[in-house]
């Protein structure tokens, strides 16, 4: 158990920002402390340079930011905006790679409190063909890298053919995931096995962000343009929503009203399997599995779009590792001399870690959870919703610790100071 003795914000945190769960009295809250740099750093820059500049500001999923920015700029210039085949392949590969990095590098640290990654585990990750080379080269011939990557995934992640794993998931969902992680000895299976009870115990309402052209999108853009800071607390059709691999566009017609953290974590593995499959997968013949249920695979998993808004403004979005990424841009001038008048980026972390969003609702306001359970759930919540910046907990005395320092399987959280979230002695909960 780690005591909270790191009150100062690191220099890295100051640059990248962080999300913080404050245990302050009288009302605990969740805040997004990511600095608003995009608009200030891009205003007046050449529009042609914006995609490269924005991708440099966001080191995680940099190519997704680059192609989304490029789509938004083209939409602002009144051009038809759609991903090229090579950009779609790069987005597919980057999303797959990002899923693997989180499973290998973040999940052991967050879910088990591991301070370092063993060398042999790093070597196994580095042996994945999809991680061997720059995206620009791999995306030129995606099948040449995806074919051996499928074999790697079947050995190191799923322990069985991808189509078999996906078929079980599509048929039985959470039950199939539980059965799989207990009969498989890969690293992701072992990590999920450790947190199964906690992740299955939490069923949480699902209000999904599925971006489509219409009034909700135009309302969001209007608020991004007129309300400073709205990109950090976005609302869709007036309310906070969540995004993630489980909210893909192809899932729109079958998303449930409520699902567990366990299902959300399983959906990330299903996303990984779909991304690695050929564009037209050959799932095993099954009377109970229609083409609709089977869904898309390969580069067709990730959807994107763009809309010209008039007055040299445009908005674009793509689905990527953590959910849906959205860029809005307004330009001065036309053609090669156009410059950036304003630019805003809304990343998945802004939706999921909104002060009234899904993580805040779960950790602070779910009446079904006792206080110590909320704190013990922090690592599982962090792994499931996967913020792109550090996630920390601040006690009432101002001391801070990473959410990962609360072991996912710990029955008690003894270092949190008594406050509006009760300490273990005050809690009537026994789980």
């Amino acid at each position: 158990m780690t005591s909270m003795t790191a009150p100062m914000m690191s220099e890295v945190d100051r640059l990248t920002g962080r999300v913080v769960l404050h245990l302050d009295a009288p009302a605990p809250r969740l805040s997004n402390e990511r600095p608003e740099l995009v608009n200030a750093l891009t205003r007046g820059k050449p529009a042609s340079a914006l995609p490269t500049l924005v991708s440099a500001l966001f080191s995680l999923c940099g190519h997704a930011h680059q192609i989304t920015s490029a789509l938004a700029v083209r939409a602002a210039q009144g051009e038809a905006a759609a991903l090229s085949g090579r950009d779609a392949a790069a987005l597919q590969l980057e999303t797959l790679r990002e899923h693997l990095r989180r499973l290998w590098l973040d999940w052991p640290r967050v879910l088990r409190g591991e301070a370092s990654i063993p060398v042999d585990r790093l070597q196994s990750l580095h042996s994945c063909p999809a991680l061997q080379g720059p995206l620009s080269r791999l995306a030129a011939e995606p099948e040449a890298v995806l074919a051996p990557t499928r074999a790697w995934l079947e050995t190191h992640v799923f322990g069985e053919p991808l189509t078999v794993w996906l078929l079980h998931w599509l048929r039985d969902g959470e039950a199939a995931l539980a059965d799989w992680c207990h009969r498989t000895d890969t690293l992701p299976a072992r990590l999920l096995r450790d947190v199964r009870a906690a992740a299955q115990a939490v069923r949480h309402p699902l209000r999904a962000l599925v971006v489509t052209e219409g009034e909700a999108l135009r309302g969001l853009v209007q608020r991004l343009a007129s309300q400073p800071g709205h990109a950090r607390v976005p609302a869709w059709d007036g309310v906070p929503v969540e995004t993630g691999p489980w909210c893909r566009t192809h899932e729109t017609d079958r998303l449930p009203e409520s699902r567990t953290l366990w299902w959300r974590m399983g959906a990330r593995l299903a996303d990984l399997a779909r991304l690695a499959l050929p564009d037209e997968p050959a799932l095993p013949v099954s009377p109970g599995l229609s083409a609709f249920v089977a869904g898309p695979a390969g580069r067709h998993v990730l959807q994107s779009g763009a809309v010209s808004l008039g007055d040299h403004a445009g908005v674009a979005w793509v689905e990527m590792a953590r959910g849906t990424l959205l860029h809005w841009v307004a330009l001065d001038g036309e053609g090669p001399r156009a410059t950036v008048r304003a630019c805003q980026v809304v990343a998945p972390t802004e939706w999921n870690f909104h002060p009234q969003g899904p993580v805040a609702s779960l950790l602070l306001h779910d009446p079904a959870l006792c206080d110590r359970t909320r704190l013990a759930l922090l690592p599982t919540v962090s792994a499931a919703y996967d913020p792109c910046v550090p996630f920390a907990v601040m006690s009432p005395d101002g001391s801070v610790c990473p959410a990962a320092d609360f072991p996912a399987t710990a029955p008690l959280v003894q270092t949190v100071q008594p406050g509006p979230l009760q300490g273990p002695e005050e809690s009537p909960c026994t789980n």
Side-chain angles (χ1 to χ4, degrees):
M1 194 69 66
T2 303
S3 61
M4 295 186 288
T5 56
M8 301 302 293
M9 194 173 183
S10 71
E11 288 303 316
V12 173
D13 286 349
R14 291 181 191 280
L15 290 173
T16 64
R18 62 184 182 181
V19 289
V20 181
L21 176 65
H22 300 265
L23 301 181
D24 302 341
R29 68 190 189 283
L30 189 69
S31 67
N32 181 347
E33 299 180 353
R34 193 208 293 260
E36 287 199 84
L37 300 174
V38 177
N39 200 43
L41 293 178
T42 61
R43 190 184 303 121
K45 303 293 185 185
S48 59
L50 184 63
T52 301
L53 180 56
V54 172
S55 69
L57 292 174
F58 294 90
S59 57
L60 289 179
C61 302
H63 190 76
H65 281 276
Q66 185 171 11
I67 63 175
T68 311
S69 178
L71 286 177
V73 169
R74 286 159 56 192
Q77 293 173 327
E79 301 175 11
L83 292 187
S84 66
R86 188 158 181 164
D87 278 342
L91 180 65
Q92 172 191 3
L93 286 168
E94 183 180 58
T95 303
L96 185 152
R97 287 157 51 130
E98 189 64 10
H99 282 327
L100 286 177
R101 292 191 187 101
R102 302 288 73 77
L103 293 177
W104 248 251
L105 304 180
D106 283 357
W107 279 23
R109 177 181 58 81
V110 171
L111 297 178
R112 286 185 171 174
E114 292 185 1
S116 60
I117 308 298
V119 172
D120 60 340
R121 193 184 300 163
L122 284 175
Q123 289 174 337
S124 72
L125 179 63
H126 290 160
S127 70
C128 177
L131 291 166
Q132 296 176 0
L135 273 176
S136 57
R137 177 171 64 79
L138 299 181
E141 296 185 73
E143 186 56 25
V145 66
L146 284 170
T149 295
R150 285 193 284 276
W152 187 93
L153 290 172
E154 290 173 352
T155 299
H156 294 274
V157 176
F158 295 97
E160 59 191 21
L162 299 184
T163 50
V164 172
W165 189 96
L166 191 58
L167 184 64
H168 289 158
W169 168 259
L170 291 170
R171 280 176 171 167
D172 298 320
E174 298 184 46
L177 184 67
D179 175 69
W180 169 75
C181 75
H182 281 275
R183 61 181 166 78
T184 306
D185 198 39
T186 63
L187 174 64
R190 293 196 299 272
L191 292 168
L192 281 172
R193 193 186 310 157
D194 289 348
V195 299
R196 175 188 168 189
Q200 285 182 319
V202 180
R203 181 170 293 276
H204 194 59
L206 174 64
R207 182 179 288 165
L209 170 68
V210 180
V211 177
T212 55
E213 184 178 1
E215 288 304 312
L217 177 62
R218 292 182 179 275
L220 172 64
V221 168
Q222 185 177 39
R223 290 187 292 274
L224 289 174
S226 62
Q227 299 178 15
H230 188 75
R232 294 293 163 267
V233 287
W236 184 256
D237 210 12
V239 296
V241 294
E242 71 178 87
T243 187
W246 51 90
C247 299
R248 299 295 190 215
T249 302
H250 65 80
E251 300 280 7
T252 304
D253 294 333
R254 52 182 173 168
L255 285 173
E257 294 182 355
S258 177
R259 279 292 190 178
T260 63
L261 289 175
W262 181 248
W263 174 78
R264 287 170 169 88
M265 298 173 87
R268 189 175 301 277
L269 285 174
D271 202 56
L272 175 61
R274 285 186 186 278
L275 288 164
L277 288 172
D279 293 346
E280 301 297 334
L283 286 175
V285 175
S286 170
L289 189 67
S290 67
F292 168 73
V293 173
R299 65 177 178 175
H300 300 310
V301 172
L302 305 172
Q303 299 299 302
S304 61
V307 176
S308 296
L309 302 167
D311 192 25
H312 305 300
V315 61
W317 62 94
V318 304
E319 294 179 335
M320 35 85 87
R322 293 174 175 80
T324 299
L325 170 68
L326 184 144
H327 284 221
W328 165 77
V329 63
L331 306 178
D332 282 325
E334 299 179 350
R337 294 188 176 182
T339 58
V340 177
R341 177 171 11 117
C343 178
Q344 295 286 1
V345 172
V346 186
T349 297
E350 272 66 70
W351 297 103
N352 291 335
F353 291 82
H354 184 289
Q356 285 84 47
V359 171
S361 298
L362 172 64
L363 291 177
L364 299 174
H365 307 303
D366 191 328
L369 299 178
C370 69
D371 296 337
R372 69 177 179 180
T373 299
R374 298 179 206 279
L375 296 175
L377 279 173
L378 288 175
T380 310
V381 170
S382 180
Y385 283 97
D386 190 20
C388 60
V389 293
F391 180 25
V393 182
M394 180 175 288
S395 74
D397 68 3
S399 56
V400 178
C401 75
D405 282 355
F406 293 88
T409 55
L412 301 176
V413 180
Q414 298 174 336
T415 55
V416 175
Q417 299 298 314
L421 288 178
Q422 297 173 338
E425 294 80 8
E426 291 79 19
S427 173
C429 185
T430 57
N431 60 356

